[in-house]
Amino acid sequence: MKEQARIPTSKVERASRFIRTGAKVGGNYIKHYSKKLLNPDHTRDELDADNAEDIYESLSELKGSALKVAQMLSMDKNVLPTAYQDKFSLSQYSAPPLSYPLVVKTFQTYLGKGPDKIFDSFSKNAVNAASIGQVHQAELDGKKLAVKIQYPGVSDSISSDLRMVRPIAAQMFNISKKELDLFMGEVESKLLEETDYKLEVRRSMELSEHCSHLEHVVFPQYYPELSGDRIIVMDWLDGLHLKDWLAQNPSQEERDKVGQALWNFYDYQMHTLKQVHADPHPGNFIITPAGELGIIDFGCVKVIPEKFYQPYFKLLEKDILQEELELEALFTELGFLSEDDSEKEKLFFMNIFKEMIELLGRPFRMEQFDFGDDEYFQQIFEAGERVSKMKEFRKSKTARGNKDGLYINRTYFGLYNLLNMLKTRVVTSTLSVK
């Protein structure tokens, strides 16, 4: 894989890269429409592939929050054509890595010496590379270690990158400025947390200790004495990323074992710890040779406020959808409805959010759920696409939703997508709210 010798870090450089990418995309559209004039049956497939290539190439060089947006989009099958999903999913663990001299410079800046002075051995080439940092393999005193190194300038560029991404997000997600204002602050705060490696080490140690009793879930040991502001050192977990493991065609029993471990891991965090690993993409999980689920990244953790937890999970109770008055009160408390809504608006948004809650909560209302049911996911995607096109949301005088729900919803839909990839059947009655 081609390495990067440097990352654009100044605001001017990064803005110029966004502008150049926009020009390339514009050129792709001109080429597409020229071909369509000659051949009316010419499809968008080539256009989507060219745009995906150009956008991903640009974002992967910028790293940081720009690439993180691509990663988040690749998890949402309802937003992007397949060409974009396939290309952007590379950002989960196959982005172009930094060159070794930049890695050495990061070590010297934050730990005062190069990796060759710290470890008995250290791989010059990255084992994998994602949006915020890349991982190298090292060895010390007979222990095999994973060393995560943050890209230079990532934390400093988050705010300016998100300002440049805002108009793109508004267009792609078809959401209003009010909703962007409500949610972008939450996105920015979480991305800033992800660049705080001392916080990540602390949370990783705490959460892995709290979850250590869970069956078929394993965690690496962390080494704060070897870590720093931009470097994390942990045990190396042998195994395969989820997609690579699935390519080996595991049995239904093996897939159910991993799927149940995933469900129990998230269920325990949500309802007992009230803080949750909020970045459930395939690159954050390893399947060990023993078929156990390895959790290798706690960079994004959402602490769940009690004032959000109670009404949100009340919506997942079995008979709540029949309780109109209680449902209206919960929707108002969570920001789905506004006290300024007219009766017509209230009825419209009540019906929309009832449908969405029924879909999201369906697995919780059964003893066991088959996440291999593609028809269920098709219903979710179709509902999401239909809602995104409704002018009532664009014209609404108020933002609909709750900022605390942004990462909780993302977590559940990310978890659902992982379980769908596994084609697994899960006992979902472990939920503490019945």
Side-chain angles (χ1 to χ4, degrees):
M1 188 185 298
K2 184 181 177 183
E3 293 184 337
Q4 272 186 252
R6 65 181 298 275
I7 294 174
T9 55
S10 76
K11 291 180 182 179
V12 173
E13 253 188 316
R14 294 177 76 83
S16 297
R17 191 63 56 89
F18 275 108
I19 292 167
R20 280 207 307 273
T21 304
K24 279 187 178 181
V25 169
N28 292 338
Y29 272 97
I30 292 171
K31 184 170 66 174
H32 167 71
Y33 288 121
S34 299
K35 289 183 177 181
K36 200 161 181 67
L37 282 174
L38 298 172
N39 177 15
D41 296 327
H42 185 66
T43 68
R44 284 182 56 98
D45 292 348
E46 184 182 342
L47 171 65
D48 288 339
D50 288 345
N51 281 346
E53 178 73 31
D54 290 335
I55 294 170
Y56 177 72
E57 182 182 347
S58 176
L59 296 186
S60 63
E61 289 178 4
L62 290 171
K63 310 291 190 195
S65 52
L67 190 54
K68 192 74 177 179
V69 169
Q71 182 191 96
M72 293 168 72
L73 290 173
S74 71
M75 293 168 61
D76 192 336
K77 299 174 187 175
N78 192 43
V79 171
L80 298 173
T82 303
Y84 291 87
Q85 291 172 32
D86 293 344
K87 198 70 182 176
F88 287 7
S89 67
L90 294 174
S91 65
Q92 293 169 2
Y93 49 86
S94 299
L98 288 185
S99 63
Y100 185 63
L102 273 181
V103 170
V104 173
K105 185 177 179 182
T106 300
F107 266 88
Q108 289 172 337
T109 300
Y110 294 101
L111 295 182
K113 48 190 170 181
D116 58 320
K117 305 295 184 186
I118 299 173
F119 305 103
D120 297 332
S121 67
F122 184 88
S123 65
K124 289 191 174 182
N125 297 320
V127 178
N128 59 57
S131 53
I132 303 293
Q134 65 189 45
V135 176
H136 290 250
Q137 192 177 88
E139 195 169 303
L140 181 64
D141 299 332
K143 280 189 175 182
K144 193 157 60 169
L145 303 171
V147 183
K148 186 161 77 168
I149 301 147
Q150 188 176 130
Y151 302 130
V154 165
S155 60
D156 298 330
S157 64
I158 286 173
S159 298
S160 57
D161 276 1
L162 288 179
R163 279 196 296 274
M164 287 184 277
V165 165
R166 281 177 71 98
I168 300 171
Q171 185 174 10
M172 293 192 75
F173 291 104
N174 196 30
I175 57 179
S176 67
K177 181 181 181 299
K178 290 186 180 68
E179 287 173 307
L180 274 177
D181 291 341
L182 177 66
F183 295 124
M184 288 303 268
E186 178 79 348
V187 171
E188 184 173 346
S189 68
K190 281 283 154 280
L191 288 173
L192 286 169
E193 284 183 10
E194 284 195 62
T195 63
D196 185 345
Y197 274 8
K198 287 186 175 179
L199 174 65
E200 180 174 343
V201 168
R202 190 163 66 249
R203 280 177 165 171
S204 300
M205 294 172 69
E206 290 173 357
L207 288 170
S208 55
E209 182 180 353
H210 286 314
C211 297
S212 61
H213 67 287
L214 295 173
E215 196 173 12
H216 305 309
V217 181
V218 295
F219 306 91
Q221 181 178 339
Y222 289 82
Y223 300 93
E225 69 278 10
L226 296 173
S227 303
D229 290 349
R230 299 290 184 265
I231 297 164
I232 296 177
V233 181
M234 67 189 91
D235 284 337
W236 180 270
L237 286 188
D238 285 315
L240 296 171
H241 283 293
L242 197 57
K243 286 185 177 179
D244 297 327
W245 182 72
L246 286 170
Q248 296 190 333
N249 197 28
S251 67
Q252 184 67 50
E253 182 181 2
E254 291 172 312
R255 286 185 281 118
D256 287 347
K257 173 184 170 182
V258 171
Q260 191 66 57
L262 256 175
W263 181 269
N264 293 347
F265 172 61
Y266 277 97
D267 185 77
Y268 182 74
Q269 292 174 95
M270 286 282 191
H271 304 293
T272 302
L273 302 181
K274 304 287 178 68
Q275 53 180 327
V276 64
H277 177 290
D279 198 8
H281 68 72
N284 281 340
F285 303 98
I286 289 285
I287 310 303
T288 71
E292 299 198 308
L293 177 71
I295 316 295
I296 58 172
D297 192 309
F298 278 102
C300 183
V301 172
K302 172 63 182 174
V303 177
I304 310 171
E306 193 65 27
K307 65 178 181 179
F308 172 81
Y309 176 89
Q310 291 298 335
Y312 183 87
F313 286 100
K314 185 78 173 172
L315 289 175
L316 301 182
E317 291 186 0
K318 196 168 186 179
D319 300 320
I320 191 66
L321 295 177
Q322 280 72 52
E323 304 293 334
E324 289 289 321
L325 288 176
E326 188 174 8
L327 200 57
E328 182 180 329
L330 291 171
F331 281 166
T332 302
E333 188 174 354
L334 288 167
F336 298 143
L337 298 179
S338 167
E339 293 179 355
D340 296 329
D341 285 340
S342 67
E343 287 303 314
K344 183 179 178 181
E345 288 173 322
K346 190 179 295 182
L347 180 62
F348 172 81
F349 288 112
M350 275 282 289
N351 288 335
I352 292 298
F353 288 117
K354 275 177 70 173
E355 179 184 5
M356 301 306 289
I357 290 297
E358 191 284 320
L359 282 169
L360 173 65
R362 195 178 296 174
F364 295 94
R365 299 184 179 102
M366 301 181 180
E367 289 296 310
Q368 183 171 328
F369 194 79
D370 181 5
F371 284 94
D373 179 7
D374 288 331
E375 185 179 339
Y376 168 66
F377 286 87
Q378 190 60 36
Q379 289 177 31
I380 292 176
F381 302 147
E382 287 174 356
E385 186 174 11
R386 181 162 35 85
V387 168
S388 71
K389 293 176 179 176
M390 289 177 173
K391 64 181 185 299
E392 288 86 353
F393 279 89
R394 294 286 293 177
K395 293 181 177 180
S396 175
K397 295 176 183 177
T398 182
R400 303 285 167 175
N402 185 299
K403 69 179 183 65
D404 289 310
L406 179 66
Y407 276 86
I408 301 303
N409 290 335
R410 178 196 175 202
T411 297
Y412 271 121
F413 282 116
L415 173 62
Y416 285 13
N417 281 330
L418 291 177
L419 296 172
N420 180 240
M421 283 172 58
L422 286 162
K423 303 298 179 191
T424 183
R425 298 166 300 203
V426 170
V427 176
T428 51
S429 56
T430 51
L431 178 65
S432 60
V433 179
K434 297 297 182 186

